[in-house]
Amino acid sequence: MPKRINVKGAIVSSDIGWIYELFDIEHTSPKLIADQITDANGEDLEVIINSGGGEVYAASEIYTDLKSYDGNVETRIVGLAASAASVIAMAGDKVMIAPTAEIMIHNASMISRGDHREMGKTAHMLQNTDKTIANAYRLKSGMEEKELLELMGEETWLTPQDALEKGFVDEIMFDNEIKLSASNGEANLIPQEVIDGIRQGKLNKVPGKTKQAIDKETVKQMFVDFKQEILNELKLNNNQSNEPKPSAPTQNKRKGFIF
């Protein structure tokens, strides 16, 4: 029986995966996939995909690990394979799609600032990135780069039949009538400013560390303390009457938890 690997939620780099874990946000990182590939030890892989995408280079690393795997790899698009997730889907020796699923491909994008020279460099870099992404589609479908770049430029949504006709997938699962799924294709990514704030220590109410970097264990402990405060308040409320109560003394701490 093949080993099942899930590619779900936002595609993120391994160094920030722990932040998503703190918030219980579904995500996929190269390390998560690499660890499971190692555990598979040559067994066949069944990769289940339902993701709105995320970081290009993280997806490229996952794609490369799957393509390099010695055993057979079957990728199954069960919901949405959008953006970076569509690249990962192309890594399968066999690519399957559910009759209710979709693939979305588009150009790479990023936030940048600077003068006209910097903007020109950014534009050139994005064009090159689009070409590298198109390579994954080209190797699977056999389509020409020019046509793929045009489809990406238009932000193209592919139904299972479209994907099969263009060579993005090898088979439509269950061979049932297609029912289009509804999705905006947006990855559930944590805003970069929040990630930077956590990594750089820009959190309030941390004794002795107001202007210092806060490590992973400190943030985790803050979450434990935060949850315990809520449980204590609930216990206190349950033991008291329904008369009006003053605000809990820890209320302001929670309000300013993240910058």
Side-chain angles (χ1 to χ4, degrees):
M1 186 174 182
K3 177 178 176 58
R4 175 169 289 196
I5 293 178
N6 288 325
V7 175
K8 297 184 178 182
I11 311 299
V12 301
S13 60
S14 298
D15 62 335
I16 64 172
W18 66 274
I19 298 178
Y20 284 77
E21 290 174 7
L22 287 176
F23 288 96
D24 292 326
I25 296 177
E26 194 170 45
H27 67 285
T28 300
S29 70
K31 185 179 185 307
L32 286 175
I33 300 302
D35 288 346
Q36 293 180 82
I37 287 177
T38 299
D39 291 341
N41 195 30
E43 295 180 28
D44 291 348
L45 298 180
E46 185 179 83
V47 183
I48 309 301
I49 301 175
N50 185 17
S51 168
E55 298 182 18
V56 171
Y57 296 130
S60 177
E61 187 174 347
I62 294 171
Y63 170 87
T64 304
D65 282 347
L66 291 173
K67 288 290 286 185
S68 303
Y69 185 64
D70 291 334
N72 183 69
V73 178
E74 181 177 281
T75 53
R76 294 187 168 214
I77 304 167
V78 300
L80 176 65
S83 191
S86 68
V87 173
I88 296 173
M90 299 300 105
D93 298 308
K94 182 177 183 180
V95 183
M96 304 179 69
I97 187 170
T100 52
E102 289 181 281
I103 296 175
M104 188 274 278
I105 62 175
H106 66 171
N107 288 341
S109 63
M110 66 179 294
I111 297 174
S112 181
R113 65 181 180 180
D115 62 18
H116 66 92
R117 295 168 300 179
E118 291 299 321
M119 292 298 98
K121 292 177 183 178
T122 300
H124 181 67
M125 182 184 70
L126 286 172
Q127 288 175 328
N128 284 342
T129 301
D130 290 340
K131 290 180 180 180
T132 62
I133 291 172
N135 280 335
Y137 305 140
R138 178 180 59 80
L139 290 172
K140 177 59 186 174
S141 69
M143 296 175 64
E144 295 293 329
E145 179 188 82
K146 183 176 183 295
E147 185 178 1
L148 287 166
L149 290 175
E150 289 175 353
L151 291 174
M152 291 167 61
E154 294 296 324
E155 186 180 298
T156 302
W157 292 75
L158 302 170
T159 67
Q161 285 180 331
D162 294 333
L164 184 62
E165 290 171 0
K166 294 184 182 300
F168 283 79
V169 303
D170 300 299
E171 182 181 323
I172 298 175
M173 298 161 60
F174 317 125
D175 198 27
N176 292 333
E177 245 179 76
I178 295 172
K179 299 176 183 178
L180 297 180
S181 59
S183 175
N184 59 11
E186 296 180 358
N188 191 22
L189 291 168
I190 296 175
Q192 188 61 42
E193 58 267 26
V194 175
I195 291 174
D196 292 341
I198 293 175
R199 296 176 73 178
Q200 295 170 16
K202 295 179 180 178
L203 299 173
N204 295 333
K205 304 295 183 181
V206 183
K209 292 196 175 185
T210 305
K211 296 183 179 181
Q212 300 177 17
I214 300 175
D215 59 24
K216 177 178 177 179
E217 294 307 315
T218 301
V219 177
K220 284 186 174 181
Q221 185 58 49
M222 291 175 68
F223 267 71
V224 171
D225 295 342
F226 175 63
K227 291 178 181 178
Q228 189 58 50
E229 289 171 14
I230 293 177
L231 292 175
N232 290 340
E233 289 182 24
L234 289 174
K235 183 177 180 180
L236 179 64
N237 290 337
N238 288 335
N239 290 335
Q240 292 180 350
S241 65
N242 292 326
E243 296 177 0
K245 309 176 188 66
S247 298
T250 55
Q251 186 175 18
N252 289 335
K253 181 176 179 180
R254 294 206 304 277
K255 284 185 177 178
F257 186 67
I258 297 178
F259 77 101

